[in-house]
Amino acid sequence: MTTATTSAALPDENGHFGSFGGAFVPETLVKALGELTAEYKAAKADPEFQAELNRLLSEFCGRETPLYPAERWSEKLGGAKIYLKREDLLHTGAHKINNALGQVMLAKRLGKKRIIAETGAGQHGVATATVAARFGLECVVYMGAIDMERQHLNVVRMRLLGAEVRGVEAGQKTLKEAVNEALRDWVTNVRSTHYILGSALGPHPYPMMVRDFHRVIGVEARKQILIKEERLPDMLVACVGGGSNAIGLFHPFLEDEDVKMVGVEAGGHGIRHGEHAARFQGGKLGVLQGTKTWLLADDDGQIELTHSVSAGLDYAAVGPEHAFLQDSGRVEYDYATDDEALAAFKALSETEGIIPALETSHALAYVNKVAPTMSKDQIIIVNLSGRGDKDVEQAAKYLLPEEG
Ligand SMILES: *Cc1c(COP(=O)(O)O)cnc(C)c1O
């Protein structure tokens, strides 16, 4: 059995996290994924690449992000002391740019002239369009037609950044279909094109590479809490769509056995078929879009409909490393419903003057529940994965009905 203390060394060279992960792809992509893996390995070991990445993370993206004590919210909940890791303050408004920047720099090393991406809430599309503009590369973003409607502002941002946004009308018209279209494009144009996948998902090396580009979140948070409190936190909390912001925060703490970690999935309208996106609640083991992991499927293996108030968590599969961390017991996974997330969105906005993304609000909803059960000398760090500017109209529909 693989123990929690060795999990930080995963995946193996074929991209397996225990029995999860791997690369289930058509023949045409095997070579491209092999090249990407080799180039990533070279870039990781190249001090010049790392120095340029760090410079741009700082000067272009705004790292390091603050670790902010949410004093009023902590006091209101009356339990643990809560810190917010402020990824919402990054350029383009969420953690996504950490990964988009790393990958565009890899694309440049690989000599690729064209970038494609999928997007759900539009945050990854915006981050990708931003770095493509910065590096002067052509950019096409696939987005489900329903998501284009509920995240119109981000569609406009991508277009203003010079990207082409292609609406996807297939199936449920959300993220899963957008990933399918991006994969189809990549198979066709693999020589000229790099696919910037937006979460810790898909075939190897993506789950590993995306995680590594987001590890900076946890590395900074660990250093910052040791300076502020002279000790490690008792608990880390992050929302889990594909799982990139969560694994970025968690990974540098995996070997700190006293640090409890909780990933929060989207409970939607509640845990009933087709009404949520909480893969660890009633999901199954299967293969989707190149990786073996927990997903929501019916008894025939057909992917089920999913629902969440937040487009960025509305996806049928979870990243394979999270499947492994759940299986090994190192990380616990819970969920928050739409209503709980909206209540937390309101609470943070009103008590801290920070409007969080609806995705992030799921992590905050868990903190709302757990902090009051903890003592005042305990510490929680929650990843504030993104800001809520993109969500204000959606949230207003529920929270300010007089506006609509
Ligand atoms: C995309 C997004 C998420 C979900 O993606 P992960 O890969 O699970 O992090 C969470 N929060 C925000 C703000 C996002 O934009």
Side-chain angles (χ1 to χ4, degrees), residues 56 282 339:
L56 289 172
D339 288 346

Side-chain angles (χ1 to χ4, degrees), residues 254-321:
L254 280 180
E255 295 186 359
D256 301 311
E257 285 173 23
D258 294 335
V259 180
K260 189 176 165 179
M261 303 182 192
V262 183
V264 187
E265 298 183 286
H269 297 313
I271 307 304
R272 295 181 298 270
H273 291 289
E275 304 264 332
H276 68 98
R279 291 69 42 109
F280 291 123
Q281 311 290 328
K284 310 184 160 52
L285 194 55
V287 172
L288 182 65
Q289 293 170 335
T291 193
K292 186 173 173 191
T293 188
W294 281 93
L295 43 80
L296 293 167
D298 65 20
D299 290 336
D300 296 330
Q302 293 297 315
I303 299 302
E304 285 188 336
L305 298 183
T306 52
H307 164 79
S308 170
V309 68
S310 64
L313 302 185
D314 197 352
Y315 184 68
V318 68
E321 190 162 11

